[in-house]
Amino acid sequence: MCLARLEQHMSKQQLIIFDTTLRDGEQSPGASMTKDEKIRIARALEKMHVDVIEAGFPIASPGDFEAARAVAEIVKDSTICGLARALEQDIDRAGEAIKPANSGRIHTFIATSPVHMERKLRMMPDQVVEQAVWAVKHARRYTDNVEFSAEDAGRSEIDFLCRIFEAVIDAGATTINVPDTVGYNMPWQFGETIRTLIERIPNSDKAVFSVHCHNDLGLAVANSLSAVTNGARQVECTINGLGERAGNASLEEVVMAVRTRQDVYDCDTRLDTTQIVPCSRLVANITGFPVQPNKAVVGANAFAHESGIHQDGVLKHRETYEIMRAEDVGWSHNRMVLGKHSGRNAFRTRLEELGIHIDSETELNEAFARFKELADKKHEIFDEDLQALVTDKGLEKTNERIKLIALHVCSETGEIPGADVTLGIDGEERSISAEGSGPVDATYRAIEALVESGADLKLYSVNNITSGTDSQGEVTVRLELGGRLVNGQGADTDIVIASAKAYINGCNKLLDVEDRAHPQKGDV
Ligand code: KIV
Ligand code: ZN
């Protein structure tokens, strides 16, 4: 960094990045994550220097509580936040969950728009203010870092927002969050709201103003940035823009907009942006929500130039068509990272660089053995292969009650496809044959005949992890059973085997995952 840039950087205010991938992101239908998956994402966020990680909604289920608490135990360099409605039992549970954190925050919320207060809460505005003040005071018994959100602030009356925010700041709230819960606002309007709040609330200087924008009209990032221009100093966002319905503001877009346009913003984040692409891939792998190729910053085409004129321009002078450097957001030019002759240390180092920690030597040895097996089948191993390798099996701590032991499929022109499957189920080996409309269908029928999960297959998708016919296929399935959705993943150079692994992974999660509830489902 040149001296002028360094001085400019030091004189800027900090824009706090609050990531809610593990909470609001998890509210994307089908994106529920296991505790171990949440820990892996939290570590990647910490490595990226995210300031605040919202680790979950601890009252929602024992699983949510355990995951948030585990993140609070493991992550040391980011503040760990737990969400709570403005209710005693929610706040107590969130307080318990964040207890082990070096720095913990409770985020409590209550709705403030006329429609939410009248129709959902059935409370009078005075009661809502009283409840909010009580909640903030109660949360302060656990931590002095308390955030208050006015749910549906985007459709709330400005006078009422001023009143409730002034009261909760007096009660001890240190962050005031203004959510556009239903993604209704226009950027200039939302910016104006933030400016008015900061100007009109007498004690606004005692709190950081934050925004939390949903993307129903595709404006979440624009609204967040407009708020930053008007004084917001925290943005709540998610990796890849995951989140309830159309999602939240995407972290990578907000962060890169502010970083790239330092000429128009008087603040900057402390994020290590080179971690953005690895983190995006990790979240896509874990949730099974692929990133669209033309997605800003993290899409496969974000830095690809197709037209001859553009290619020529970039070759002559990169800045003709590029406003950011691919390597600054973590795209590596030399993507071939390891091969069959690579050693254990190189393997471990590359995993660490990708934000993947392997704690025990046994796990490292197992992962390394799988890497060698893969390197025998496929000469060039890319970052994406390594990520799939560990997502596929190695670090996945889902109790594996069902294991794939053997699979033989028959796929021949003019013949009915068939599959012979042998599984280990709770330690007992069982085999069966089945026919289907294709080899994957036959395999799934066979597995289901053995497992009898009764789950509905809601999604089946195959992606090649890298390019070429020797690439690994990565299969994602989404299974539903009794209203519960889980994603299963599997990767292999043979896509039928990858498919079998994905289905079995999903079944194991169904046996393992506990019930979850969405925060906005509650009465208050
Ligand atoms: O969208 C929303 O209003 C929320 C709150 C809980 C902050 O997610
Ligand atoms: Zn939200």
Side-chain angles (χ1 to χ4, degrees):
M1 207 186 269
C2 71
L3 192 59
R5 169 92 174 86
L6 185 68
E7 275 168 4
Q8 185 194 35
H9 182 78
M10 308 247 308
S11 65
K12 296 249 170 173
Q13 286 182 22
Q14 190 192 344
L15 177 63
I16 298 168
I17 294 297
F18 175 115
D19 179 279
T20 182
T21 307
L22 301 180
R23 198 279 296 170
D24 217 323
E26 205 201 19
Q27 287 174 221
S28 309
S32 81
M33 304 165 207
T34 64
K35 180 169 104 181
D36 291 301
E37 290 168 340
K38 287 191 172 185
I39 292 171
R40 286 173 54 206
I41 292 175
R43 279 186 155 135
L45 294 171
E46 179 187 31
K47 187 163 186 202
M48 189 156 56
H49 303 161
V50 160
D51 302 289
V52 186
I53 299 174
E54 188 161 56
F57 180 52
I59 194 78
S61 73
D64 252 46
F65 173 83
E66 290 302 331
R69 198 174 161 95
V71 168
E73 270 161 12
I74 290 165
V75 169
K76 291 298 160 215
D77 290 337
S78 305
T79 294
I80 303 304
C81 177
L83 182 70
R85 289 167 299 184
L87 291 177
E88 187 170 6
Q89 69 269 25
D90 283 40
I91 295 168
D92 291 344
R93 201 75 174 134
E96 252 329 282
I98 61 155
K99 213 184 224 165
N102 263 358
S103 161
R105 173 184 294 188
I106 294 179
H107 174 191
T108 185
F109 71 97
I110 192 164
T112 52
S113 62
V115 63
H116 275 237
M117 290 192 290
E118 277 165 40
R119 305 289 168 142
K120 186 181 82 167
L121 301 179
R122 299 202 174 93
M123 283 168 83
M124 298 303 287
D126 285 354
Q127 292 174 297
V128 170
V129 176
E130 199 183 316
Q131 181 93 15
V133 166
W134 177 88
V136 167
K137 286 188 177 155
H138 191 61
R140 287 287 303 227
R141 294 167 65 163
Y142 291 95
T143 168
D144 55 13
N145 189 343
V146 174
E147 171 168 335
F148 172 76
S149 277
E151 192 191 7
D152 205 18
R155 292 187 299 168
S156 301
E157 285 164 7
I158 194 85
D159 288 346
F160 186 59
L161 285 180
C162 287
R163 178 179 164 206
I164 197 166
F165 286 153
E166 182 182 349
V168 294
I169 295 171
D170 264 347
T174 45
T175 301
I176 292 299
N177 186 36
V178 187
D180 186 17
T181 303
V182 291
Y184 182 68
N185 278 239
M186 294 294 123
W188 56 90
Q189 209 182 15
F190 197 59
E192 174 76 17
T193 300
I194 300 302
R195 198 169 49 77
T196 308
L197 289 172
I198 295 174
E199 276 172 9
R200 278 186 42 192
I201 297 171
N203 52 3
S204 64
D205 60 318
K206 305 268 182 318
V208 171
F209 276 72
S210 164
V211 289
H212 174 112
C213 298
H214 278 271
N215 206 28
D216 299 68
L217 294 173
L219 293 170
V221 170
N223 282 337
S224 305
L225 293 171
S226 172
V228 172
T229 306
N230 285 282
R233 284 296 172 265
Q234 174 177 285
V235 172
E236 303 198 353
C237 43
T238 56
I239 301 292
N240 300 339
L242 273 186
E244 184 90 37
R245 304 182 312 279
N248 289 65
S250 117
L251 176 145
E252 56 279 6
E253 293 176 22
V254 170
V255 169
M256 288 318 292
V258 172
R259 183 65 55 88
T260 306
R261 295 302 310 272
Q262 279 291 288
D263 55 327
V264 296
Y265 291 104
D266 55 0
C267 56
D268 196 4
T269 73
R270 61 174 199 114
L271 257 65
D272 173 0
T273 59
T274 63
Q275 297 304 315
I276 285 179
V277 168
C279 202
S280 157
R281 283 205 198 117
L282 180 67
V283 171
N285 276 343
I286 285 177
T287 57
F289 282 48
V291 172
Q292 76 197 55
N294 57 332
K295 166 87 172 61
V297 185
V298 293
N301 292 350
F303 291 88
H305 300 279
E306 181 66 22
S307 104
I309 297 173
H310 288 208
Q311 286 173 353
D312 180 53
V314 170
L315 285 174
K316 286 183 174 138
H317 186 69
R318 190 186 56 80
E319 284 168 21
T320 50
Y321 288 102
E322 279 187 8
I323 56 165
M324 299 171 267
R325 298 189 324 160
E327 52 273 36
D328 289 347
V329 295
W331 290 104
S332 54
H333 279 312
N334 179 9
R335 286 156 37 100
M336 207 279 285
V337 286
L338 297 172
K340 69 191 277 187
H341 300 297
S342 306
R344 226 162 135 274
N345 267 345
F347 175 69
R348 188 210 293 260
T349 308
R350 191 60 203 150
L351 288 182
E352 293 280 335
E353 282 166 4
L354 290 172
I356 301 165
H357 298 260
I358 299 195
D359 297 326
S360 79
E361 284 303 300
T362 324
E363 274 179 5
L364 179 68
N365 289 341
E366 281 171 9
F368 187 60
R370 283 200 310 283
F371 158 71
K372 284 286 178 182
E373 239 174 71
L374 180 64
D376 268 341
K377 292 194 232 163
K378 189 175 182 293
H379 299 305
E380 299 172 328
I381 306 287
F382 300 95
D383 286 343
E384 293 89 335
D385 290 312
L386 293 181
Q387 267 160 337
L389 193 88
V390 291
T391 305
D392 181 43
K393 215 166 187 195
L395 302 182
E396 182 55 68
K397 302 263 185 356
T398 306
N399 288 331
E400 281 208 314
R401 288 179 53 188
I402 310 163
K403 289 186 168 52
L404 178 66
I405 293 178
L407 170 62
H408 172 255
V409 287
C410 174
S411 175
E412 208 178 323
T413 37
E415 295 296 323
I416 297 174
D420 307 322
V421 173
T422 303
L423 300 181
I425 304 179
D426 289 331
E428 192 192 323
E429 216 168 284
R430 296 174 56 198
S431 302
I432 206 163
S433 301
E435 292 180 341
S437 59
V440 173
D441 186 47
T443 303
Y444 279 20
R445 284 172 192 273
I447 296 173
E448 192 49 37
L450 289 174
V451 172
E452 293 180 342
S453 76
D456 263 351
L457 182 64
K458 292 289 182 197
L459 171 119
Y460 169 80
S461 96
V462 190
N463 286 305
N464 52 339
I465 290 179
T466 54
S467 53
T469 49
D470 72 339
S471 160
Q472 289 195 89
E474 184 178 50
V475 175
T476 301
V477 295
R478 188 163 302 144
L479 302 179
E480 185 186 3
L481 184 64
R484 228 164 70 202
L485 282 169
V486 295
N487 288 320
Q489 276 99 21
D492 201 282
T493 47
D494 180 322
I495 58 163
V496 184
I497 296 178
S499 303
K501 285 178 175 178
Y503 195 86
I504 291 168
N505 181 242
C507 289
N508 276 320
K509 283 185 179 173
L510 275 179
L511 295 173
D512 198 46
V513 171
E514 297 180 36
D515 272 330
R516 287 162 199 282
H518 281 183
Q520 278 95 345
K521 271 189 184 166
D523 292 335
V524 171

